[in-house]
Amino acid sequence: MSDNVLKVENLNVWYGKPGLFGASQRVHILHDVSFELKRGEILGLVGESGCGKSTLARTILGIEKDKTGTIEHKTFRPQMVFQNPYGSLNPYKKIGWIIEEPLRVLRKHSKQERRQKALDLLDRVGLPASYANRYPDELSGGQRQRVAIAAALIQQPELIFLDEPVSALDVTVQDQILRLLLDVKKQYNLSYLFISHDLNVIYQICDRVMVMKKGEIVESGDIETVYNHPQHPYTQQLLTE
Ligand SMILES: Nc1ncnc2c1ncn2[C@@H]1O[C@H](COP(=O)(O)OP(=O)(O)O)[C@@H](O)[C@H]1O
Ligand SMILES: [Mg+2]
């Protein structure tokens, strides 16, 4: 593993569909996916909708279990930030409660400590302390994504999976969130697996990129090389679209 935070080898993943008479039909989604993510790196995963990007993240997090291959991560508590934070932020809870929740589960901190950490993180992601008392639907899409980032950071992860984190946002808000992600990455010494179907967004933030087509990594390399000299016809096609 050396300087890797994540190493995936020959990963295959299936989804099961219940078939006739109780027989199960398995659909092969990921095909022999192998890659390494180095400490401090932002690794992009790009490919069209439905190719298996989210499935890869979910499998590494242990959510999808019908798989073969190996997944090693030295890092503990990898966190996930989704495209639509409104879906992942409990609409009935206030922002402060949501950010504190992982600590509440750990039971290691007093109520005051939890609140203080949540307020520090709100400040860190650029939101006023008063937002601790607001509900998710009182926030804009960009502000909700800031909350989702704070909620991920409170667990002190080393690795964060960002699944289309700016895809639902306007371009100016996208830029602000990407800048925030770069800032907190530096401050907390993080590594990211950054998933997007948007090649421009990937280019703005990633050091390296993997191109996925129908569950297979068809090309990978440092971002400048892949974008300037794409080798695979599918990458060439994506870049000219
Ligand atoms: N829970 C599931 N059960 C069955 N099929 C699924 C499930 N989730 C996703 N799929 C299918 O797996 C494929 C990959 O999906 P996904 O990983 O979400 O793609 P992406 O994130 O690249 O858009 C798609 O064909 C999708 O329809
Ligand atoms: Mg997806």
Side-chain angles (χ1 to χ4, degrees):
M1 288 285 278
S2 61
D3 58 343
N4 291 333
V5 288
L6 175 66
K7 186 173 179 184
V8 171
E9 270 181 311
N10 298 314
L11 185 66
N12 287 271
V13 177
W14 292 263
Y15 283 123
K17 269 198 230 159
L20 283 179
F21 311 113
S24 162
Q25 251 184 325
R26 287 158 96 217
V27 187
H28 197 169
I29 304 290
L30 296 183
H31 302 262
D32 278 323
V33 171
S34 298
F35 68 92
E36 294 173 1
L37 207 168
K38 295 186 185 64
R39 188 171 301 280
E41 184 174 54
I42 306 183
L43 176 60
L45 175 61
V46 71
E48 64 194 16
S49 177
C51 73
K53 304 182 298 295
S54 298
T55 299
L56 178 59
R58 283 204 305 271
T59 307
I60 297 167
L61 289 172
I63 300 166
E64 303 301 340
K65 296 189 170 20
D66 190 359
K67 62 176 173 62
T68 61
T70 57
I71 299 166
E72 282 179 73
H73 48 90
K74 266 201 282 193
T75 167
F76 62 131
R77 295 194 288 270
Q79 292 296 304
M80 184 104 154
V81 173
F82 298 96
Q83 169 175 4
N84 175 9
Y86 195 48
S88 56
L89 302 181
N90 187 336
Y92 304 108
K93 297 294 183 184
K94 291 179 178 172
I95 299 304
W97 190 98
I98 291 170
I99 296 174
E100 285 176 34
E101 174 59 6
L103 296 186
R104 202 173 285 112
V105 175
L106 283 178
R107 294 163 173 260
K108 279 205 303 209
H109 306 273
S110 71
K111 206 172 165 192
Q112 290 79 358
E113 283 172 339
R114 286 200 310 257
R115 183 43 57 123
Q116 193 52 52
K117 280 181 192 292
L119 293 177
D120 290 347
L121 278 168
L122 267 181
D123 183 55
R124 184 63 200 83
V125 299
L127 294 174
S130 61
Y131 275 51
N133 292 316
R134 298 197 181 189
Y135 289 94
D137 70 358
E138 299 176 273
L139 274 57
S140 69
Q143 289 170 338
R144 286 201 287 264
Q145 207 53 301
R146 288 174 191 274
V147 170
I149 293 166
L153 289 174
I154 203 156
Q155 305 213 54
Q156 299 182 283
E158 297 176 340
L159 171 59
I160 302 183
F161 297 94
L162 299 154
D163 192 354
E164 308 268 8
V166 300
S167 300
L169 307 173
D170 297 341
V171 175
T172 41
V173 184
Q174 281 192 352
D175 288 347
Q176 293 162 7
I177 298 296
L178 292 176
R179 219 171 305 131
L180 174 66
L181 286 169
L182 286 172
D183 285 350
V184 296
K185 172 186 170 287
K186 211 165 154 188
Q187 182 179 351
Y188 298 100
N189 206 5
L190 300 166
S191 311
Y192 293 152
L193 179 66
F194 190 101
I195 297 174
S196 180
H197 68 281
D198 184 331
L199 284 100
N200 289 321
V201 168
I202 292 274
Y203 186 73
Q204 282 182 64
I205 191 161
C206 295
D207 306 311
R208 274 198 309 137
V209 64
M210 307 188 282
V211 181
M212 180 176 270
K213 183 188 182 189
K214 294 183 180 158
E216 218 178 308
I217 307 288
V218 295
E219 179 162 5
S220 63
D222 80 70
I223 195 89
E224 293 294 340
T225 309
V226 171
Y227 276 55
N228 293 322
H229 308 284
Q231 297 298 306
H232 194 279
Y234 181 66
T235 314
Q236 291 165 359
Q237 180 199 325
L238 281 181
L239 284 164
T240 49
E241 263 169 11

